[in-house]
Amino acid sequence: MSQIDRLEAQRRGVPWAWFIDSSGTWTHALSQPEHDVDFYHQVEIPMRDGIHLRGNIWRPKAEGQFPVILIFTPYDNSTASPEKPMSDIIGRAKYFVPRGYAIVSVNTRGRYGSEGDPYLFFFKDWHTGGHEGYDVHDCIEWLGTRSWSSGAVAMTGVSYLATVQWMGAMLGSRYLKTIVPMASADDHFQNINRDGCLLLSQAIRLMVIGEQRTNEGDLWNKFVDWERIYRHLPLRTMDEALLGKKSQIWGDFFDHPNNDDYWRLGSPGARYHVGEMTTGNYPKVNVPTLNITGWYDCDLQGTINNYLGMVAYGPEELRTSHRLIIGPWDHNWTHPQVGDRDYGADAEVDLHRLELRWFDYWLKGTDNGVFQEPPVHVFISGANRWRADPSWPVPDALSTNFYLRSGGHANSLFGNGQLSEMKPVKEPADRFVYDPADPVPTVGGGVWTGLEPNMSGPQDRRPVERRDDVLVYTSAPLERELQVVGRIFAHIYAASSAPDTDFIVSLVDVDPSGYATLLATGNIRARYRNSFATQELIVPGDVYEYTIDLWSIGHLFKKGHRIRLEVTSSSFPWFEPNPNTGLQKGEDTSYALAEQTIFHEAEYPSCIVLPVVPAGDAPT
């Protein structure tokens, strides 16, 4: 891309991404392989409290000092997974060490060869304020002073390996020069309780990670009866049903049902209301960040929020030094095939080469032009092309309301629900019965279970839409292309017969054949509608406005396609089915039915707000 093209990309979105240009001039400045590799097994690294963590070290077989890339992981610290380059430690060692970097992969406290007791992001005695960021910081300090180290340290990794980067970076080691968090949580509360709803499958797997010293993949994938575990009541004792013992982590989750100080330990961001951004700990993170995620990632919005937090609240001198890349991927994935969809060759990213350009700039001082690239690159599904922008949200998006309409029977795919830009005046409400004992099954989306097979990504929603407890609102076929790029919120006016319940909304693209591709899902637990820090039960029968955060998308609805919105109250096992009783989370031993009413009229104009980009800016 020429300098003129770069300036144009900075001004407005263009269909382009530097990292898919394999023959671009930027590749000529990359570090080239020139070193053999030395390996050092399970090296002890001392922590401030006397505990020793153990890490594998790969470094150039040569005299001199080299920059260090640290990977801090609760998983096997010598993993080879070329199909998943975000977590491929052996692949990184083989790629980066010949190019003049040391790779150091350290196990978290209590995992594999590292001493201490395992927990989840925090120390087991978290009441004293300890969290894994302190161990990360101590590792960075140790690595920065080795005789073979240049004193320049970076971090990379996905998911857990990404979140701990933020936790360590906020402690301010002078040796840390940059981090590359891929799919990182911004708020620990939201990582377990998305907008108040327990992320059932994700919370259980994270609890297991915090309880075990090794991965034991076959045990969880081939032995456990997950259907039984997911349906166990009361939920608070699910740890005993799964592990045969109490888990401190699981108990702590339920002892802290609100977003309180427990969740603030080492958390980069803090969200107390739907869609909120706050200062958090971003001012303490004094390094540039390269943030990478996918539209179907369970940590999509967390990653975006971390980028936004650094741009808005991070150290002022670094606010232009942060980058955001969003592909069409699900968790820990960089390939074109996602769920039921193949997004084409441009969705395949050479991750290690992308990282190399970033590390060459920040760790070696190579003037390779990476800083002149547009800060934001997002993949537009439907068009299956990348878009470069000067900022996020993209500057040319226009908020457009699509209203729920019906004749009072939007139940299922076969009902009369419609989605329209025309605001309703007076229409009958839609009703359905939510039975927590028969929840709507999870089909696609940003769900993470840590199990096989993977149920996330874009999948056909028609089997779900046949249920009467799913309201379906569908637009007329589009007369022109509609590009939606940005964060999506639904405003649903609803009443329930229960003192507490959930509402879940999904956005779907319906092609002319009828195939219904899931694009985004959002949720709200009624008691947290006003704040995640406090609970307010609802009055049965009263109408409330619920703002529901569907996170973000970049998608082109093609001409002839239809926009669809689903409204229901469950997605199992992605979310814990709300028992509808109003008891504290985890205490219920039985379920109650809830009669749900969704309003759409002049006084209660339920709608979804889409950030629409003018058609002329759509990638072609």
mmCIF file of all heavy atoms in Angstrom, residues 157-194:
data_model
loop_
_atom_site.group_PDB
_atom_site.id
_atom_site.type_symbol
_atom_site.label_atom_id
_atom_site.label_comp_id
_atom_site.label_asym_id
_atom_site.label_seq_id
_atom_site.Cartn_x
_atom_site.Cartn_y
_atom_site.Cartn_z
ATOM 1 N N GLY A 157 -0.183 -14.271 23.562
ATOM 2 C CA GLY A 157 -0.979 -15.431 23.934
ATOM 3 C C GLY A 157 -2.458 -15.129 23.885
ATOM 4 O O GLY A 157 -2.887 -13.974 23.785
ATOM 5 N N VAL A 158 -3.255 -16.203 23.979
ATOM 6 C CA VAL A 158 -4.699 -16.112 23.786
ATOM 7 C C VAL A 158 -5.451 -16.487 25.053
ATOM 8 O O VAL A 158 -5.011 -17.342 25.821
ATOM 9 C CB VAL A 158 -5.136 -17.024 22.611
ATOM 10 C CG1 VAL A 158 -4.849 -18.497 22.926
ATOM 11 C CG2 VAL A 158 -6.612 -16.842 22.280
ATOM 12 N N SER A 159 -6.593 -15.841 25.284
ATOM 13 C CA SER A 159 -7.540 -16.208 26.326
ATOM 14 C C SER A 159 -6.933 -15.985 27.706
ATOM 15 O O SER A 159 -6.581 -14.861 28.058
ATOM 16 C CB SER A 159 -7.986 -17.657 26.113
ATOM 17 O OG SER A 159 -9.097 -17.979 26.908
ATOM 18 N N TYR A 160 -6.808 -17.020 28.506
ATOM 19 C CA TYR A 160 -6.168 -16.910 29.819
ATOM 20 C C TYR A 160 -4.793 -16.272 29.652
ATOM 21 O O TYR A 160 -4.386 -15.402 30.434
ATOM 22 C CB TYR A 160 -6.037 -18.309 30.426
ATOM 23 C CG TYR A 160 -5.822 -18.365 31.919
ATOM 24 C CD1 TYR A 160 -6.788 -18.949 32.744
ATOM 25 C CD2 TYR A 160 -4.680 -17.884 32.513
ATOM 26 C CE1 TYR A 160 -6.602 -19.029 34.116
ATOM 27 C CE2 TYR A 160 -4.475 -17.959 33.886
ATOM 28 C CZ TYR A 160 -5.441 -18.535 34.687
ATOM 29 O OH TYR A 160 -5.263 -18.615 36.044
ATOM 30 N N LEU A 161 -4.063 -16.712 28.620
ATOM 31 C CA LEU A 161 -2.715 -16.220 28.353
ATOM 32 C C LEU A 161 -2.715 -14.746 27.958
ATOM 33 O O LEU A 161 -1.679 -14.081 28.020
ATOM 34 C CB LEU A 161 -2.045 -17.043 27.256
ATOM 35 C CG LEU A 161 -1.674 -18.494 27.530
ATOM 36 C CD1 LEU A 161 -2.902 -19.378 27.755
ATOM 37 C CD2 LEU A 161 -0.858 -19.073 26.388
ATOM 38 N N ALA A 162 -3.884 -14.246 27.526
ATOM 39 C CA ALA A 162 -4.027 -12.838 27.175
ATOM 40 C C ALA A 162 -4.395 -12.002 28.393
ATOM 41 O O ALA A 162 -3.834 -10.915 28.613
ATOM 42 C CB ALA A 162 -5.085 -12.677 26.091
ATOM 43 N N THR A 163 -5.325 -12.501 29.196
ATOM 44 C CA THR A 163 -5.794 -11.738 30.353
ATOM 45 C C THR A 163 -4.677 -11.491 31.345
ATOM 46 O O THR A 163 -4.565 -10.398 31.918
ATOM 47 C CB THR A 163 -6.963 -12.474 31.015
ATOM 48 O OG1 THR A 163 -8.025 -12.613 30.058
ATOM 49 C CG2 THR A 163 -7.474 -11.722 32.218
ATOM 50 N N VAL A 164 -3.794 -12.493 31.556
ATOM 51 C CA VAL A 164 -2.696 -12.297 32.504
ATOM 52 C C VAL A 164 -1.689 -11.263 32.008
ATOM 53 O O VAL A 164 -0.944 -10.681 32.813
ATOM 54 C CB VAL A 164 -1.982 -13.626 32.828
ATOM 55 C CG1 VAL A 164 -2.892 -14.559 33.600
ATOM 56 C CG2 VAL A 164 -1.451 -14.311 31.565
ATOM 57 N N GLN A 165 -1.654 -11.011 30.690
ATOM 58 C CA GLN A 165 -0.785 -9.946 30.186
ATOM 59 C C GLN A 165 -1.198 -8.599 30.759
ATOM 60 O O GLN A 165 -0.361 -7.801 31.197
ATOM 61 C CB GLN A 165 -0.828 -9.899 28.665
ATOM 62 C CG GLN A 165 -0.266 -11.127 27.965
ATOM 63 C CD GLN A 165 -0.394 -11.030 26.454
ATOM 64 O OE1 GLN A 165 -0.008 -10.031 25.848
ATOM 65 N NE2 GLN A 165 -0.948 -12.064 25.837
ATOM 66 N N TRP A 166 -2.508 -8.330 30.740
ATOM 67 C CA TRP A 166 -3.008 -7.080 31.316
ATOM 68 C C TRP A 166 -2.728 -7.011 32.809
ATOM 69 O O TRP A 166 -2.333 -5.954 33.328
ATOM 70 C CB TRP A 166 -4.513 -6.968 31.081
ATOM 71 C CG TRP A 166 -4.889 -6.794 29.652
ATOM 72 C CD1 TRP A 166 -5.375 -7.730 28.794
ATOM 73 C CD2 TRP A 166 -4.801 -5.581 28.888
ATOM 74 N NE1 TRP A 166 -5.595 -7.191 27.551
ATOM 75 C CE2 TRP A 166 -5.259 -5.874 27.579
ATOM 76 C CE3 TRP A 166 -4.388 -4.283 29.191
ATOM 77 C CZ2 TRP A 166 -5.302 -4.899 26.581
ATOM 78 C CZ3 TRP A 166 -4.437 -3.317 28.193
ATOM 79 C CH2 TRP A 166 -4.886 -3.631 26.913
ATOM 80 N N MET A 167 -2.894 -8.133 33.498
ATOM 81 C CA MET A 167 -2.711 -8.154 34.941
ATOM 82 C C MET A 167 -1.267 -7.858 35.322
ATOM 83 O O MET A 167 -0.994 -7.198 36.328
ATOM 84 C CB MET A 167 -3.157 -9.504 35.492
ATOM 85 C CG MET A 167 -4.639 -9.786 35.253
ATOM 86 S SD MET A 167 -5.166 -11.456 35.713
ATOM 87 C CE MET A 167 -5.112 -11.335 37.493
ATOM 88 N N GLY A 168 -0.321 -8.357 34.506
ATOM 89 C CA GLY A 168 1.080 -8.067 34.771
ATOM 90 C C GLY A 168 1.491 -6.685 34.309
ATOM 91 O O GLY A 168 2.268 -5.990 34.980
ATOM 92 N N ALA A 169 0.952 -6.247 33.161
ATOM 93 C CA ALA A 169 1.372 -4.968 32.589
ATOM 94 C C ALA A 169 1.021 -3.805 33.499
ATOM 95 O O ALA A 169 1.768 -2.808 33.566
ATOM 96 C CB ALA A 169 0.732 -4.776 31.217
ATOM 97 N N MET A 170 -0.093 -3.906 34.219
ATOM 98 C CA MET A 170 -0.507 -2.775 35.041
ATOM 99 C C MET A 170 0.406 -2.565 36.261
ATOM 100 O O MET A 170 0.291 -1.546 36.953
ATOM 101 C CB MET A 170 -1.965 -2.940 35.483
ATOM 102 C CG MET A 170 -2.220 -4.093 36.403
ATOM 103 S SD MET A 170 -3.999 -4.250 36.852
ATOM 104 C CE MET A 170 -4.748 -4.638 35.275
ATOM 105 N N LEU A 171 1.339 -3.482 36.498
ATOM 106 C CA LEU A 171 2.267 -3.341 37.615
ATOM 107 C C LEU A 171 3.552 -2.618 37.223
ATOM 108 O O LEU A 171 4.390 -2.328 38.073
ATOM 109 C CB LEU A 171 2.582 -4.711 38.218
ATOM 110 C CG LEU A 171 1.362 -5.440 38.791
ATOM 111 C CD1 LEU A 171 1.749 -6.810 39.328
ATOM 112 C CD2 LEU A 171 0.691 -4.612 39.886
ATOM 113 N N GLY A 172 3.749 -2.354 35.926
ATOM 114 C CA GLY A 172 4.723 -1.366 35.502
ATOM 115 C C GLY A 172 6.180 -1.772 35.468
ATOM 116 O O GLY A 172 7.048 -0.954 35.815
ATOM 117 N N SER A 173 6.531 -2.976 35.020
ATOM 118 C CA SER A 173 7.948 -3.325 34.867
ATOM 119 C C SER A 173 8.584 -2.483 33.762
ATOM 120 O O SER A 173 8.028 -2.333 32.675
ATOM 121 C CB SER A 173 8.102 -4.806 34.507
ATOM 122 O OG SER A 173 9.450 -5.095 34.177
ATOM 123 N N ARG A 174 9.775 -1.968 34.021
ATOM 124 C CA ARG A 174 10.469 -1.161 33.011
ATOM 125 C C ARG A 174 10.963 -2.008 31.846
ATOM 126 O O ARG A 174 11.309 -1.474 30.794
ATOM 127 C CB ARG A 174 11.638 -0.413 33.640
ATOM 128 C CG ARG A 174 12.788 -1.296 34.133
ATOM 129 C CD ARG A 174 13.841 -0.456 34.844
ATOM 130 N NE ARG A 174 15.040 -1.190 35.207
ATOM 131 C CZ ARG A 174 15.172 -1.901 36.319
ATOM 132 N NH1 ARG A 174 14.147 -2.000 37.156
ATOM 133 N NH2 ARG A 174 16.303 -2.534 36.593
ATOM 134 N N TYR A 175 10.990 -3.320 32.015
ATOM 135 C CA TYR A 175 11.468 -4.193 30.944
ATOM 136 C C TYR A 175 10.378 -4.551 29.932
ATOM 137 O O TYR A 175 10.681 -4.950 28.812
ATOM 138 C CB TYR A 175 12.038 -5.490 31.531
ATOM 139 C CG TYR A 175 13.208 -5.256 32.472
ATOM 140 C CD1 TYR A 175 13.077 -5.520 33.841
ATOM 141 C CD2 TYR A 175 14.418 -4.762 31.999
ATOM 142 C CE1 TYR A 175 14.140 -5.306 34.709
ATOM 143 C CE2 TYR A 175 15.492 -4.536 32.873
ATOM 144 C CZ TYR A 175 15.334 -4.806 34.222
ATOM 145 O OH TYR A 175 16.387 -4.583 35.070
ATOM 146 N N LEU A 176 9.129 -4.419 30.327
ATOM 147 C CA LEU A 176 8.024 -4.772 29.427
ATOM 148 C C LEU A 176 7.836 -3.658 28.399
ATOM 149 O O LEU A 176 7.604 -2.503 28.750
ATOM 150 C CB LEU A 176 6.731 -4.984 30.219
ATOM 151 C CG LEU A 176 5.528 -5.475 29.403
ATOM 152 C CD1 LEU A 176 5.791 -6.868 28.836
ATOM 153 C CD2 LEU A 176 4.256 -5.481 30.254
ATOM 154 N N LYS A 177 7.891 -4.019 27.113
ATOM 155 C CA LYS A 177 7.834 -3.028 26.033
ATOM 156 C C LYS A 177 6.510 -3.063 25.266
ATOM 157 O O LYS A 177 6.118 -2.055 24.684
ATOM 158 C CB LYS A 177 8.995 -3.241 25.055
ATOM 159 C CG LYS A 177 10.373 -3.238 25.716
ATOM 160 C CD LYS A 177 10.624 -1.955 26.509
ATOM 161 C CE LYS A 177 11.986 -1.990 27.186
ATOM 162 N NZ LYS A 177 12.195 -0.808 28.070
ATOM 163 N N THR A 178 5.837 -4.213 25.222
ATOM 164 C CA THR A 178 4.556 -4.314 24.522
ATOM 165 C C THR A 178 3.877 -5.614 24.905
ATOM 166 O O THR A 178 4.528 -6.562 25.376
ATOM 167 C CB THR A 178 4.738 -4.244 22.987
ATOM 168 O OG1 THR A 178 3.460 -4.202 22.350
ATOM 169 C CG2 THR A 178 5.501 -5.461 22.470
ATOM 170 N N ILE A 179 2.549 -5.663 24.709
ATOM 171 C CA ILE A 179 1.805 -6.908 24.894
ATOM 172 C C ILE A 179 0.927 -7.139 23.673
ATOM 173 O O ILE A 179 0.513 -6.192 22.992
ATOM 174 C CB ILE A 179 0.953 -6.904 26.181
ATOM 175 C CG1 ILE A 179 -0.060 -5.750 26.182
ATOM 176 C CG2 ILE A 179 1.850 -6.834 27.414
ATOM 177 C CD1 ILE A 179 -1.025 -5.785 27.371
ATOM 178 N N VAL A 180 0.663 -8.434 23.391
ATOM 179 C CA VAL A 180 -0.215 -8.822 22.280
ATOM 180 C C VAL A 180 -1.289 -9.755 22.838
ATOM 181 O O VAL A 180 -1.210 -10.981 22.694
ATOM 182 C CB VAL A 180 0.584 -9.493 21.151
ATOM 183 C CG1 VAL A 180 -0.338 -9.826 19.976
ATOM 184 C CG2 VAL A 180 1.729 -8.598 20.679
ATOM 185 N N PRO A 181 -2.295 -9.189 23.511
ATOM 186 C CA PRO A 181 -3.376 -10.020 24.068
ATOM 187 C C PRO A 181 -4.399 -10.379 22.995
ATOM 188 O O PRO A 181 -4.972 -9.510 22.334
ATOM 189 C CB PRO A 181 -3.984 -9.118 25.148
ATOM 190 C CG PRO A 181 -3.671 -7.719 24.707
ATOM 191 C CD PRO A 181 -2.414 -7.776 23.891
ATOM 192 N N MET A 182 -4.629 -11.669 22.816
ATOM 193 C CA MET A 182 -5.589 -12.177 21.837
ATOM 194 C C MET A 182 -6.768 -12.789 22.587
ATOM 195 O O MET A 182 -6.590 -13.747 23.326
ATOM 196 C CB MET A 182 -4.928 -13.234 20.952
ATOM 197 C CG MET A 182 -3.649 -12.754 20.294
ATOM 198 S SD MET A 182 -2.790 -14.087 19.436
ATOM 199 C CE MET A 182 -1.218 -13.271 19.090
ATOM 200 N N ALA A 183 -7.942 -12.219 22.421
ATOM 201 C CA ALA A 183 -9.140 -12.673 23.128
ATOM 202 C C ALA A 183 -8.961 -12.523 24.634
ATOM 203 O O ALA A 183 -8.833 -13.495 25.366
ATOM 204 C CB ALA A 183 -9.465 -14.124 22.771
ATOM 205 N N SER A 184 -8.935 -11.282 25.085
ATOM 206 C CA SER A 184 -8.686 -10.999 26.498
ATOM 207 C C SER A 184 -9.935 -10.458 27.171
ATOM 208 O O SER A 184 -10.661 -9.638 26.604
ATOM 209 C CB SER A 184 -7.541 -9.987 26.647
ATOM 210 O OG SER A 184 -7.848 -8.762 25.996
ATOM 211 N N ALA A 185 -10.183 -10.917 28.400
ATOM 212 C CA ALA A 185 -11.290 -10.389 29.191
ATOM 213 C C ALA A 185 -10.929 -9.011 29.714
ATOM 214 O O ALA A 185 -9.770 -8.740 30.051
ATOM 215 C CB ALA A 185 -11.597 -11.329 30.344
ATOM 216 N N ASP A 186 -11.922 -8.124 29.795
ATOM 217 C CA ASP A 186 -11.674 -6.799 30.349
ATOM 218 C C ASP A 186 -12.156 -6.682 31.784
ATOM 219 O O ASP A 186 -11.672 -5.855 32.542
ATOM 220 C CB ASP A 186 -12.359 -5.715 29.498
ATOM 221 C CG ASP A 186 -13.880 -5.819 29.531
ATOM 222 O OD1 ASP A 186 -14.400 -6.950 29.484
ATOM 223 O OD2 ASP A 186 -14.545 -4.766 29.584
ATOM 224 N N ASP A 187 -13.109 -7.501 32.173
ATOM 225 C CA ASP A 187 -13.723 -7.422 33.499
ATOM 226 C C ASP A 187 -13.947 -8.855 33.964
ATOM 227 O O ASP A 187 -14.683 -9.612 33.331
ATOM 228 C CB ASP A 187 -15.047 -6.653 33.401
ATOM 229 C CG ASP A 187 -15.739 -6.449 34.741
ATOM 230 O OD1 ASP A 187 -15.823 -7.412 35.518
ATOM 231 O OD2 ASP A 187 -16.215 -5.323 34.997
ATOM 232 N N HIS A 188 -13.313 -9.243 35.078
ATOM 233 C CA HIS A 188 -13.408 -10.633 35.535
ATOM 234 C C HIS A 188 -14.852 -11.039 35.810
ATOM 235 O O HIS A 188 -15.240 -12.188 35.591
ATOM 236 C CB HIS A 188 -12.559 -10.835 36.790
ATOM 237 C CG HIS A 188 -11.081 -10.748 36.551
ATOM 238 N ND1 HIS A 188 -10.468 -11.419 35.514
ATOM 239 C CD2 HIS A 188 -10.096 -10.076 37.199
ATOM 240 C CE1 HIS A 188 -9.157 -11.153 35.545
ATOM 241 N NE2 HIS A 188 -8.920 -10.347 36.543
ATOM 242 N N PHE A 189 -15.663 -10.117 36.314
ATOM 243 C CA PHE A 189 -17.076 -10.429 36.558
ATOM 244 C C PHE A 189 -17.764 -10.824 35.260
ATOM 245 O O PHE A 189 -18.484 -11.823 35.202
ATOM 246 C CB PHE A 189 -17.771 -9.214 37.179
ATOM 247 C CG PHE A 189 -19.254 -9.402 37.392
ATOM 248 C CD1 PHE A 189 -19.733 -10.098 38.489
ATOM 249 C CD2 PHE A 189 -20.175 -8.875 36.491
ATOM 250 C CE1 PHE A 189 -21.104 -10.273 38.691
ATOM 251 C CE2 PHE A 189 -21.548 -9.039 36.677
ATOM 252 C CZ PHE A 189 -22.008 -9.743 37.785
ATOM 253 N N GLN A 190 -17.537 -10.057 34.200
ATOM 254 C CA GLN A 190 -18.163 -10.337 32.913
ATOM 255 C C GLN A 190 -17.627 -11.621 32.286
ATOM 256 O O GLN A 190 -18.319 -12.251 31.476
ATOM 257 C CB GLN A 190 -17.937 -9.160 31.962
ATOM 258 C CG GLN A 190 -18.633 -7.877 32.380
ATOM 259 C CD GLN A 190 -20.131 -7.912 32.180
ATOM 260 O OE1 GLN A 190 -20.651 -8.725 31.402
ATOM 261 N NE2 GLN A 190 -20.857 -7.042 32.857
ATOM 262 N N ASN A 191 -16.437 -12.030 32.650
ATOM 263 C CA ASN A 191 -15.856 -13.262 32.136
ATOM 264 C C ASN A 191 -16.556 -14.499 32.692
ATOM 265 O O ASN A 191 -16.479 -15.586 32.104
ATOM 266 C CB ASN A 191 -14.357 -13.310 32.487
ATOM 267 C CG ASN A 191 -13.568 -14.252 31.605
ATOM 268 O OD1 ASN A 191 -13.915 -14.489 30.445
ATOM 269 N ND2 ASN A 191 -12.486 -14.793 32.139
ATOM 270 N N ILE A 192 -17.259 -14.333 33.813
ATOM 271 C CA ILE A 192 -18.008 -15.425 34.443
ATOM 272 C C ILE A 192 -19.511 -15.173 34.367
ATOM 273 O O ILE A 192 -20.307 -16.101 34.186
ATOM 274 C CB ILE A 192 -17.587 -15.585 35.922
ATOM 275 C CG1 ILE A 192 -16.081 -15.867 36.015
ATOM 276 C CG2 ILE A 192 -18.377 -16.700 36.593
ATOM 277 C CD1 ILE A 192 -15.640 -17.165 35.366
ATOM 278 N N ASN A 193 -19.917 -13.904 34.484
ATOM 279 C CA ASN A 193 -21.336 -13.537 34.554
ATOM 280 C C ASN A 193 -21.642 -12.479 33.501
ATOM 281 O O ASN A 193 -21.677 -11.294 33.816
ATOM 282 C CB ASN A 193 -21.678 -12.972 35.930
ATOM 283 C CG ASN A 193 -21.297 -13.891 37.069
ATOM 284 O OD1 ASN A 193 -22.011 -14.834 37.371
ATOM 285 N ND2 ASN A 193 -20.164 -13.619 37.705
ATOM 286 N N ARG A 194 -21.839 -12.894 32.265
ATOM 287 C CA ARG A 194 -22.077 -11.900 31.215
ATOM 288 C C ARG A 194 -23.383 -11.156 31.479
ATOM 289 O O ARG A 194 -24.464 -11.732 31.470
ATOM 290 C CB ARG A 194 -22.111 -12.569 29.844
ATOM 291 C CG ARG A 194 -22.383 -11.596 28.707
ATOM 292 C CD ARG A 194 -22.245 -12.220 27.351
ATOM 293 N NE ARG A 194 -22.813 -11.351 26.331
ATOM 294 C CZ ARG A 194 -22.806 -11.627 25.020
ATOM 295 N NH1 ARG A 194 -22.232 -12.741 24.582
ATOM 296 N NH2 ARG A 194 -23.353 -10.788 24.165
#
